[in-house]
Amino acid sequence: MSYAHLASVAESHGLAASPVRRWAWPGTIDLFILAGEVLMFRAALRHVTDWWAIGLTVAGSLGSIGLNVAGVGTDAPLLDYVVAAVPPSAALLAFGALMRQVHTLVTDPAPAAEPIPEPVTVERAPEPMPAELAAPEPESATEEVPQPEPVPEPLPKPAPVAPSPRPAPSPPAVPPALLDHARKVADTHQATTGAPIDSDTLRARLGIPPVVAEAISAQLA
């Protein structure tokens, strides 16, 4: 509607004898908008602001709206000016909204999904040996060597008493939540490698003591 109205304005002001020039004349106005939007899109790809592109778009938009309104003539009803101004204004807003969506997709891409970190196994440092079990320091060579005392005759040894057998230690209790998690890890390992998981691999995956890993392996068997 805006393009056809500008063609009629050109027909009334000197281009009535040339229909080709009459219909091509509004394109000189719309090309300002098109060139400005293309340059703005290129600036969005480069993450910069092109004021020359903004100026071309504003000049073409204001020129299209102004020439549509001026083509109505003088002493016309107010509604005639409104009717002439609506089509170019609507085209400008619709085209601007469309290009805004394109600019948003280009300048603000969707963030990539972060990988899930694997559980970290914390190794404990070895505890220091008690002072009672530490090796005794060698005596100084300057110290006097004590004389050996006379060894008394050995007393008869009592008959050996057989030690009573100790009960085997019971396996540690495994929480149900840890057992369920270990079962999922074992299923994943078997589906990946084709072999059941052993206690050493289970201990490394879960970061648990060897006794607990063996107890879980016994329950998973």
Side-chain angles (χ1 to χ4, degrees):
M1 293 175 64
S2 173
Y3 198 95
H5 185 235
L6 289 180
S8 63
V9 172
E11 181 182 6
S12 303
H13 293 81
L15 297 180
S18 178
V20 175
R21 294 170 59 192
R22 180 180 71 217
W23 284 100
W25 182 79
T28 60
I29 305 299
D30 294 340
L31 281 177
F32 280 95
I33 304 174
L34 180 61
E37 290 291 349
V38 171
L39 292 178
M40 289 173 65
F41 180 70
R42 188 189 69 168
L45 292 175
R46 300 169 59 189
H47 300 282
V48 297
T49 302
D50 191 348
W51 293 104
W52 179 253
I54 297 175
L56 284 178
T57 306
V58 172
S61 302
L62 295 180
S64 178
I65 296 173
L67 289 173
N68 271 279
V69 173
V72 177
T74 58
D75 300 331
L78 179 61
L79 192 58
D80 292 354
Y81 296 106
V82 174
V83 170
V86 165
S89 302
L92 170 64
L93 294 177
F95 191 56
L98 176 62
M99 295 305 297
R100 180 178 177 81
Q101 299 299 320
V102 176
H103 294 173
T104 303
L105 292 176
V106 171
T107 56
D108 298 328
E114 297 182 358
I116 301 176
E118 297 182 356
V120 180
T121 303
V122 180
E123 297 183 357
R124 297 183 179 179
E127 298 180 358
M129 183 179 298
E132 293 80 0
L133 302 179
E137 297 181 358
E139 298 180 355
S140 176
T142 58
E143 295 181 357
E144 296 181 358
V145 179
Q147 296 296 330
E149 297 180 356
V151 180
E153 294 182 2
L155 298 176
K157 297 182 179 181
V161 179
S164 59
R166 296 181 180 180
S170 59
V174 181
L178 180 59
L179 183 60
D180 293 340
H181 181 60
R183 184 174 288 106
K184 293 179 181 178
V185 173
D187 294 342
T188 304
H189 179 81
Q190 187 168 5
T192 304
T193 62
I197 192 170
D198 55 356
S199 60
D200 293 336
T201 305
L202 188 63
R203 179 183 62 81
R205 293 286 182 85
L206 300 180
I208 56 179
V211 178
V212 181
E214 293 177 358
I216 294 176
S217 298
Q219 298 186 32
L220 294 179

